[in-house]
Amino acid sequence: EPMNDLPSSRVKVIRDASSYTGAFTHLQCLSDCVITSMTSSAEGSVASLALPAGTLWRLDITQIQLTSGDMSLTKA
C-alpha cells in the first residue's frame, strides 16, 4: 500500500518488469523486490539487488526497473 501520509498524486506503484523514468525521491518495497536496474544517486551497482518488504530508501532516482516485487515511488 502506498505511503498514507503523501498525496496519491505523488506516488507511483510499480508491479511489473517495465522500465520507469521520472524524478523520484523515495522508494518503498511493498513486497520483497529485486531491482533489475536503477539510475540514482546511490553509489555502486544495484543490478539484481534483492530488497526485503518494508525497505524505504530516500535517494534521487531517474530510472528503475524491477525483476520482481511491488514498489511505490514518490515523485519529486
Side-chain angles (χ1 to χ4, degrees):
E1 181 173 322
M3 290 181 249
N4 292 328
D5 60 338
L6 297 173
S8 61
S9 62
R10 290 193 52 215
V11 174
K12 178 164 192 67
V13 175
I14 59 174
R15 302 180 135 163
D16 57 31
S18 298
S19 179
Y20 291 89
T21 59
F24 305 105
T25 59
H26 296 77
L27 69 75
Q28 181 176 14
C29 297
L30 305 175
S31 64
D32 292 347
C33 294
V34 177
I35 296 174
T36 304
S37 65
M38 180 172 73
T39 304
S40 72
S41 58
E43 291 187 23
S45 174
V46 296
S48 301
L49 181 65
L51 300 172
T55 298
L56 175 64
W57 270 1
R58 292 177 177 95
L59 70 167
D60 296 321
I61 302 165
T62 55
Q63 180 277 332
I64 190 164
Q65 183 176 9
L66 298 181
T67 301
S68 62
D70 303 315
M71 180 179 287
S72 70
L73 300 169
T74 304
K75 298 176 186 178

